[in-house]
Amino acid sequence: GLSHGAHMAIGMAIGFLFLGGGTRTFATDNGSVAALLIATYPRFPQNTGDQRCHLQAFRHLYALAARSRLLQTVDAATQRPVYAPLELTVKKLTAGARLSPGQTTQSCGENADPNVSAAGTNSDKNSEKNPGAEPTDETETIHATAPCLLPEEDRLVRLRV
């Protein structure tokens, strides 16, 4: 059979996968990564009373790394959730940048959400959409349908409904 630690690791993995019912993700800043590292410290207990290597309370530090990134649109008259098209302008990831959870090197500019698709980079259109903004090759436009998960706050430049 599996040890208590193995059951604990499986439970944590499932919890991370369905974090907040799919409405939350993990941040990638240094403090959040440190909290996740401590929470998932590789020494899991052999039985329920084993506290030699790691305090059980440390397993809950993952909550410090969790961020709510769900964007839910609501009809003003009925107060019911509705689908809405979105246009997100985000900063491009540089070659040395860390990827967000769920992203691969092939999808750096895209959100892992299936309701999101990349539309390419901004060029001259950027000044039309955001008066006063200079065209830049450092941002890109992503078209999405709400409800969806937003990119990390530090990457989000603008959101239009």
Side-chain angles (χ1 to χ4, degrees), residues 37-114:
L37 181 65
I38 294 168
T40 58
Y41 187 73
R43 296 285 308 246
F44 282 91
Q46 294 301 309
N47 57 50
T48 57
D50 186 3
Q51 297 291 325
R52 291 176 293 150
C53 300
H54 196 53
L55 294 174
Q56 186 177 6
F58 287 165
R59 299 286 177 205
H60 300 283
L61 289 179
Y62 74 90
L64 298 175
R67 302 286 187 273
S68 181
R69 296 200 326 209
L70 177 70
L71 177 64
Q72 178 71 48
T73 51
V74 179
D75 186 308
T78 64
Q79 298 299 311
R80 296 183 55 97
V82 295
Y83 293 105
L86 303 173
E87 184 178 279
L88 304 155
T89 302
V90 296
K91 295 177 190 172
K92 283 185 181 178
L93 288 175
T94 60
R98 269 184 266 153
L99 297 177
S100 296
Q103 290 182 332
T104 63
T105 53
Q106 288 81 21
S107 62
C108 287
E110 301 174 10
N111 193 316
D113 192 320

Side-chain angles (χ1 to χ4, degrees), residues 107-128:
S107 62
C108 287
E110 301 174 10
N111 193 316
D113 192 320
N115 291 333
V116 177
S117 64
T121 59
N122 287 337
S123 55
D124 296 331
K125 294 184 205 174
N126 190 33
S127 56
E128 297 171 10

Side-chain angles (χ1 to χ4, degrees), residues 16 19 24-37 39 60-69 101 152:
F16 289 173
L19 194 62
R24 299 178 73 84
T25 62
F26 288 126
T28 58
D29 60 274
N30 290 339
S32 298
V33 171
L36 280 172
L37 181 65
H60 300 283
L61 289 179
Y62 74 90
L64 298 175
R67 302 286 187 273
S68 181
R69 296 200 326 209
E152 290 194 40

